[in-house]
Amino acid sequence: MMNYNIIKDKVNHLFQFDKFESVSGIPSVFWTIVQKEFTDYIRSWRIIILLAIILLTCIGSLYTAITSIQDAIDQAAGDAEEIGRHSYLFLQLFTVSDGTLPSFITFVGFLGPLLGIALGFDAINSERNKGTLSRLMAQPIPRDFVITGKFIASLLLCAILFFSLGLLVTALGILILGIPPTLEEFLRILFFLFLCIVYIAFWLNLGILFSVIFKQAATSALSSIAIWLFFSIFYSMIINLFSKSYLNPNSLTTIEDALDRSTFILNLLRISPNYLFNESTTTLLSPTVRSLGPLTVEQTVGAVASPLPFSQSLLLIWPQLTGLIAATLICFAIAYIIFMRQEIRAH
């Protein structure tokens, strides 16, 4: 009887141990994949060179912004701290330029998609071409851990980079200008950095999607860059050509008709993620922007010409932010479904 109880206790202990491993081991495996992918990105010369370019361009844009702000402070009369409180100097660090180099948000809007594409265009097909994907799938690892781990590792790298850059710009602004940011300015800067990460996450998921669809990394890279160039350059040109005939004054009959057509053109532009990002960042870093669409005279009567508080600016860009997040999730969902249904064979 005693031997039976001892054996029974050992079996129960073994069962509990297996159960514990099945529950706690899965997160450890997932974060191991994330850590491995993050380490590979840090050691990749392609990513190191791209990060160095982003760092140098952002420092250059910061220098031109600080030069312009210092000149404005020297020419203006009055207390510098009072000027900074009413003119949002810290927000101008990200938007102002003296003309020699573009502003910080311009560099982010241009180089951010390249960073996302560089992190995602060969996430899956490179593993498949090397033969490491089939070996990885032969292990007792859930398949979705692979694509999700690559996305989380890339997103973590982008978050660390842009939050570090944003805090670096803030710290240098305090040291050089000698004016601390207000709480509202600091919140706007943090939310602007969050918008940058969401924007880059869209292009990252687009690159991952093409890496799942196409077998060659060069094809997925060219496809991602082609879409980026289309939305960055050609899409706005096509809409502007269409709007010349659609908004022809001779074809407009009433004010309501003109407003409806202008709103339709604006909604067409908002299909582009670049336009959504530009609208969101401009509104967030420029509190004087009070509307993102056409207004009638009746709507502007009685309006107080003053900067919007942070909560109202956030409410104004909420549709744009929702659209960027939705586009990001849609790209990831399509890539996830295709990857889960693909057949993976050993070479």
Side-chain angles (χ1 to χ4, degrees), residues 126-176:
S126 63
E127 299 278 358
R128 183 182 288 110
N129 294 332
K130 294 177 183 178
T132 56
L133 185 60
S134 59
R135 298 178 186 175
L136 186 61
M137 292 295 97
Q139 306 300 321
I141 299 175
R143 177 181 286 199
D144 58 338
F145 279 12
V146 177
I147 187 171
T148 308
K150 289 179 178 292
F151 169 68
I152 295 298
S154 304
L155 194 64
L156 183 61
L157 178 62
C158 295
I160 293 175
L161 171 64
F162 279 92
F163 273 103
S164 300
L165 285 177
L167 296 178
L168 177 63
V169 170
T170 305
L172 292 178
I174 295 174
L175 292 176
I176 297 175

Side-chain angles (χ1 to χ4, degrees), residues 24 43 48 54 69 82 85 99 112 137 140 143 149 153 156 159 231-232 239 255 284 292 299 302 308 323 337 340:
S24 63
R43 295 177 179 177
I48 292 174
I54 293 175
I69 292 174
E82 189 70 19
R85 186 180 299 110
M137 292 295 97
R143 177 181 286 199
L156 183 61
F231 281 118
S232 299
I239 298 300
I255 297 178
L284 198 62
L292 294 177
Q299 291 175 329
L308 287 179
I337 293 173
M340 294 297 290

Side-chain angles (χ1 to χ4, degrees), residues 85-103:
R85 186 180 299 110
H86 290 87
S87 59
Y88 296 96
L89 286 184
F90 263 86
L91 299 182
Q92 295 183 22
L93 290 176
F94 299 89
T95 58
V96 173
S97 176
D98 62 353
T100 57
L101 286 175
S103 61

Side-chain angles (χ1 to χ4, degrees), residues 266 270 275 278-280 282-283 289-295 313 316-320:
L266 188 60
R270 286 172 178 168
Y275 191 83
N278 292 332
E279 268 193 334
S280 302
T282 302
T283 305
V289 177
R290 302 179 60 88
S291 176
L292 294 177
L295 296 175
S313 296
L316 191 63
I317 66 170
W318 193 252
Q320 284 76 9

Side-chain angles (χ1 to χ4, degrees), residues 254-271:
T254 61
I255 297 178
E256 289 76 10
D257 186 23
L259 289 176
D260 292 339
R261 294 194 178 192
S262 299
T263 304
F264 177 72
I265 295 296
L266 188 60
N267 291 331
L268 287 180
L269 289 172
R270 286 172 178 168
I271 296 176

Side-chain angles (χ1 to χ4, degrees), residues 52-272:
I53 292 174
I54 293 175
L55 179 61
L56 291 176
T57 52
C58 290
I59 291 177
S61 63
L62 173 64
Y63 174 77
T64 58
I66 289 177
T67 303
S68 302
I69 292 174
Q70 283 182 333
D71 294 340
I73 292 177
D74 294 337
Q75 295 176 1
D79 186 19
E81 186 174 355
E82 189 70 19
I83 295 174
R85 186 180 299 110
H86 290 87
S87 59
Y88 296 96
L89 286 184
F90 263 86
L91 299 182
Q92 295 183 22
L93 290 176
F94 299 89
T95 58
V96 173
S97 176
D98 62 353
T100 57
L101 286 175
S103 61
F104 185 90
I105 58 174
T106 303
F107 274 124
V108 172
F110 180 78
L111 295 178
L114 292 180
L115 177 61
I117 292 172
L119 290 172
F121 78 92
D122 61 345
I124 301 299
N125 49 23
S126 63
E127 299 278 358
R128 183 182 288 110
N129 294 332
K130 294 177 183 178
T132 56
L133 185 60
S134 59
R135 298 178 186 175
L136 186 61
M137 292 295 97
Q139 306 300 321
I141 299 175
R143 177 181 286 199
D144 58 338
F145 279 12
V146 177
I147 187 171
T148 308
K150 289 179 178 292
F151 169 68
I152 295 298
S154 304
L155 194 64
L156 183 61
L157 178 62
C158 295
I160 293 175
L161 171 64
F162 279 92
F163 273 103
S164 300
L165 285 177
L167 296 178
L168 177 63
V169 170
T170 305
L172 292 178
I174 295 174
L175 292 176
I176 297 175
L177 298 178
I179 304 173
T182 62
L183 178 61
E184 181 177 352
E185 286 178 328
F186 187 69
L187 291 176
R188 287 178 181 270
I189 291 172
L190 289 181
F191 207 84
F192 162 71
L193 298 176
F194 173 74
L195 275 173
C196 294
I197 296 171
V198 173
Y199 179 61
I200 296 174
F202 167 77
W203 297 104
L204 169 64
N205 283 327
L206 186 67
I208 294 176
L209 173 61
F210 285 132
S211 72
V212 173
I213 295 175
F214 300 111
K215 295 182 180 180
Q216 299 298 325
T219 306
S220 59
L222 290 176
S223 301
S224 303
I225 293 176
I227 292 182
W228 169 63
L229 289 176
F230 172 75
F231 281 118
S232 299
I233 301 175
F234 300 106
Y235 185 75
S236 59
M237 296 172 58
I238 295 173
I239 298 300
N240 290 332
L241 290 175
F242 171 72
S243 62
K244 287 184 179 180
S245 59
Y246 188 71
L247 297 178
N248 189 2
N250 297 326
S251 62
L252 299 177
T253 56
T254 61
I255 297 178
E256 289 76 10
D257 186 23
L259 289 176
D260 292 339
R261 294 194 178 192
S262 299
T263 304
F264 177 72
I265 295 296
L266 188 60
N267 291 331
L268 287 180
L269 289 172
R270 286 172 178 168
I271 296 176
S272 171

